[in-house]
Amino acid sequence: MRKTAALRNLLRRPELAFVLEAHDGVSARIVEEAGFQGIWASGLTMSASMGVRDNNEASWTQVLEKVEFMADATSIPILLDGDTGHGNFNNVRRFVRKLEQRGVAGVCIEDKLFPKTNSFIKGEQQPLADPEEFAGRIKAAKDSQVDADFQVVARVEALIAGWPMEEALSRAETYEAAGADAILIHSKRSTPDEVIGFRRAWGDRLPVVIVPTMYYATPPETLESEGFSLVIWANHLLRSGITAMEQTARTIAHDRSLFNVEGEVASVKRIFELQGAAELADAETRYLPESPKDAQVVVLAASRDPGFGALTEDQPKCMIEVGGRPLLGRQLDIIRSCGLRDLVVVRGWKAETVAFDGVRYVQNDDFDDSSSAWSLQLGLPDDDVPLVVAYGDIVYRKHVLRTLLDENADVAVVVDLESRDRHAKPSGDYVKLAGKPQLAGVLEDEPLLLERVAGTDESADGEMIGLLKTSRAGTIRLKAAMERLQSEDRLRHANLSVLVGELLAMDCRVRVVPITGNWVDVNDLGDLAEASSY
Ligand code: SPV
Ligand code: MG
């Protein structure tokens, strides 16, 4: 529903409606989140929040600027306190057109003279407008609106200025005849007698709006049963904000520390929420090209590898030091040097020994009875972000990771085409490629794809080194493959090769980034010596 129509409904529906004051984008959002169906953009609080008086010291265009932020930040209608309309009928015409353009649903103008003064400052001494002249402002407003549902509320200040009820009623009648959509009857009494008296005499002719700032103790049921249409809580967010801000400022000044206020103030995260940060993050996934540097890196470093005997007695394999630096430290340096910053390490065996700055850790308590896909599942982010997945016990030259990141594919794995020539022991991560694996041809021709995982089959074309990346779309596929494995109870003991095999089984294209050497999978002491050069 358009905001104008929504405000019209609030004014016209049989049940009493409530709107709460806001004075900027964030307070407007707070009003909406609290469940209100409308916002009062108060002249008093908008001017106060700008540090000026409620005497039209802020120009009407400055008011427009402010209310535009409020309208943009919210989806409920705003009734703007238009003061006197900022001049005569002519100023009102332009004002109304501009308010409509800024997404404001209605305006309330009061029968006083520009520049106005707040009603609670010597209200009885304030001159009222000539009712016929003010009726001209109302008529001009109604004649200028483009949207038929834009609401113009005529505010009667007669009771504030000390005139009798007859004057208030006669003015209301004149404004109704001029086309007003509702009458705001204002009172500075501490009881609702005046406004109730007005409403009873006025009847149902036009909806009646009230501002119970001074008769705040009146129960809402009374206001409801007296037939009012709209209650404006006119200034309470600014006032509560002032109390909180004064308290916080005094405490910080006194303590010279934030310690005593931290638990009392909204979190920075809450500010981000109110600013709509989540919407932007969502939009980024739709509109920004994926940058490989935004990938989340998950390094799988939970396993012990008892083959190393005493070397992995008190630490996982990835923490074996070569040249004074643990293997994992070397790999993290390489990862960081490629611009990747979001690093997760899945720890397991002797987790406490795996400690690097700037890394988030996830724990695989079942490291003895699970494999790398299980660790990966524990380290996966909830969001479908691009991923880089690496075994924790490999090291490679920087350009290996660079080439992988540059590969424009949803799923890509690094495959060493010559690993068999260097290793005596067969690997379990051999793969068969689709098409010709010759490196020279590969670099120029069609993208090289994986055909199947080949386990220990030595006639295969190469070996996956344990380095894989996915785009956002690839992450979704990867998660689906993991779910399939899990549904068949195969995930717990699956390594990356099994996972890649499952992706292929799902008809997912897996791009191959071919290398020859330039990496080490540390399996014996000879590998350790080589790793020290990375
Ligand atoms: C405002 O909120 O600015 C109003 C209501 O006009 S009152 O302050 O009560 O006049
Ligand atoms: Mg005002």
Side-chain angles (χ1 to χ4, degrees):
M1 191 191 292
R2 280 170 304 115
K3 289 179 176 180
T4 48
L7 180 60
R8 186 173 187 274
N9 278 359
L10 283 188
L11 284 164
R12 300 214 164 196
R13 69 182 199 188
E15 321 89 78
L16 179 59
F18 298 88
V19 294
L20 178 60
E21 166 268 331
H23 47 275
D24 55 18
V26 75
S27 56
R29 215 166 243 240
I30 287 170
V31 173
E32 178 165 12
E33 281 195 14
F36 282 91
Q37 291 171 292
I39 294 167
W40 169 244
S42 154
L44 171 65
T45 66
M46 285 194 294
S47 57
S49 72
M50 289 187 257
V52 297
R53 288 166 286 235
D54 191 10
N55 291 70
N56 295 123
E57 290 181 351
S59 72
W60 71 276
T61 54
Q62 289 172 322
V63 171
L64 277 186
E65 290 285 315
K66 267 214 133 184
V67 78
E68 182 176 26
F69 278 106
M70 295 162 65
D72 286 348
T74 50
S75 65
I76 53 176
I78 295 176
L79 176 60
L80 174 81
D81 178 357
D83 292 340
T84 59
H86 298 272
N88 71 1
F89 80 92
N90 190 38
N91 305 91
V92 169
R93 293 196 297 183
R94 190 161 161 72
F95 190 40
V96 164
R97 281 200 300 273
K98 291 292 156 193
L99 288 177
E100 278 195 308
Q101 288 166 11
R102 307 283 173 121
V104 174
V107 67
C108 174
I109 57 175
E110 60 200 53
D111 53 357
K112 294 200 303 211
L113 301 173
F114 181 90
K116 54 71 59 95
T117 299
N118 186 277
S119 301
F120 299 135
I121 299 176
K122 297 185 188 152
E124 64 289 344
Q125 290 172 22
Q126 293 189 23
L128 296 187
D130 171 79
E132 294 304 329
E133 183 276 326
F134 185 73
R137 283 185 243 166
I138 297 289
K139 185 164 181 356
K142 291 307 293 177
D143 287 347
S144 326
Q145 71 187 56
V146 177
D147 181 332
D149 288 333
F150 182 84
Q151 298 295 288
V152 176
V153 178
R155 168 164 158 180
V156 175
E157 288 283 296
L159 302 178
I160 294 272
W163 292 81
M165 186 63 73
E166 294 70 42
E167 176 70 15
L169 288 163
S170 114
R171 282 175 173 261
E173 222 163 88
T174 306
Y175 308 156
E176 179 187 19
D181 295 295
I183 300 295
L184 187 157
I185 184 69
H186 207 8
S187 166
K188 58 180 191 292
R189 295 253 179 98
S190 59
T191 64
D193 306 359
E194 266 186 350
V195 295
I196 289 175
F198 177 90
R199 173 67 179 79
R200 288 184 182 172
W202 176 255
D204 285 327
R205 275 188 276 181
L206 280 181
V208 177
V209 181
I210 51 173
V211 186
T213 303
M214 295 301 169
Y215 45 98
Y216 59 85
T218 314
E221 296 74 23
T222 305
L223 304 176
E224 190 139 48
S225 64
E226 289 296 336
F228 294 107
S229 294
L230 185 73
V231 167
I232 295 174
W233 309 124
N235 43 47
H236 300 79
L237 287 196
L238 182 72
R239 286 166 64 190
S240 62
I242 288 173
T243 305
M245 287 191 279
E246 285 175 340
Q247 175 65 40
T248 302
R250 274 196 300 261
T251 305
I252 296 174
H254 174 267
D255 296 354
R256 299 189 304 147
S257 159
L258 302 176
F259 187 77
N260 283 318
V261 302
E262 185 52 35
E264 308 297 317
V265 297
S267 65
V268 174
K269 183 164 159 270
R270 176 67 184 136
I271 302 177
F272 295 154
E273 250 172 46
L274 285 164
Q275 290 173 305
E279 191 280 335
L280 177 57
D282 186 49
E284 281 172 352
T285 66
R286 276 177 284 133
Y287 300 121
L288 280 183
E290 278 187 32
S291 162
K293 293 193 174 156
D294 296 335
Q296 179 174 318
V297 180
V298 184
V299 182
L300 310 172
S303 71
R304 172 182 177 187
D305 202 336
F308 272 86
L311 269 179
T312 55
E313 194 69 35
D314 299 318
Q315 62 184 10
K317 190 165 82 175
C318 64
M319 292 306 290
I320 294 176
E321 286 195 5
V322 283
R325 180 105 176 108
L327 283 172
L328 180 54
R330 285 170 184 269
Q331 186 180 187
L332 293 176
D333 290 345
I334 289 164
I335 289 170
R336 285 205 182 92
S337 75
C338 289
L340 295 156
R341 289 282 172 270
D342 189 2
L343 313 185
V344 172
V345 171
V346 184
R347 304 186 288 197
W349 171 249
K350 300 290 179 191
E352 66 286 356
T353 63
V354 184
F356 299 93
D357 286 342
V359 173
R360 288 182 290 131
Y361 292 100
V362 171
Q363 182 70 17
N364 179 359
D365 286 322
D366 291 332
F367 56 87
D368 260 347
D369 185 35
S370 67
S371 193
S372 42
W374 191 254
S375 285
L376 174 57
Q377 188 201 33
L378 297 171
L380 277 187
D382 290 338
D383 295 337
D384 296 324
V385 294
L387 291 175
V388 169
V389 182
Y391 281 150
D393 56 1
I394 54 172
V395 279
Y396 37 79
R397 303 243 174 253
K398 195 197 287 191
H399 71 259
V400 172
L401 180 54
R402 281 250 167 86
T403 315
L404 176 68
L405 293 175
D406 287 346
E407 194 70 40
N408 183 19
D410 285 335
V411 180
V413 295
V414 177
V415 172
D416 184 355
L417 301 181
E418 294 180 356
S419 75
R420 266 165 307 138
D421 304 342
R422 291 193 313 279
H423 292 295
K425 258 199 294 179
S427 152
D429 293 324
Y430 290 138
V431 288
K432 191 93 185 118
L433 310 190
K436 290 262 174 292
Q438 276 79 16
L439 198 52
V442 163
L443 289 176
E444 293 150 18
D445 288 337
E446 290 287 291
L448 190 60
L449 296 177
L450 208 62
E451 187 178 284
R452 62 182 171 86
V453 293
T456 53
D457 176 359
E458 290 195 52
S459 68
D461 299 314
E463 175 184 2
M464 284 197 287
I465 76 165
L467 192 55
L468 168 157
K469 81 149 193 185
T470 56
S471 66
R472 283 191 201 102
T475 300
I476 292 170
R477 309 284 330 252
L478 188 79
K479 287 183 177 176
M482 293 171 90
E483 263 167 38
R484 274 169 56 127
L485 288 172
Q486 173 68 354
S487 70
E488 295 165 11
D489 222 8
R490 292 164 58 215
L491 186 65
R492 177 175 284 271
H493 294 111
N495 58 17
L496 285 190
S497 286
V498 174
L499 186 54
V500 169
E502 195 64 22
L503 281 164
L504 293 171
M506 291 165 56
D507 288 332
C508 176
R509 279 159 62 98
V510 177
R511 184 80 62 87
V512 169
V513 174
I515 60 170
T516 53
N518 292 297
W519 71 289
V520 188
D521 169 12
V522 175
N523 284 319
D524 55 37
L525 295 175
D527 295 335
L528 279 180
E530 193 189 339
S532 66
S533 73
Y534 285 77

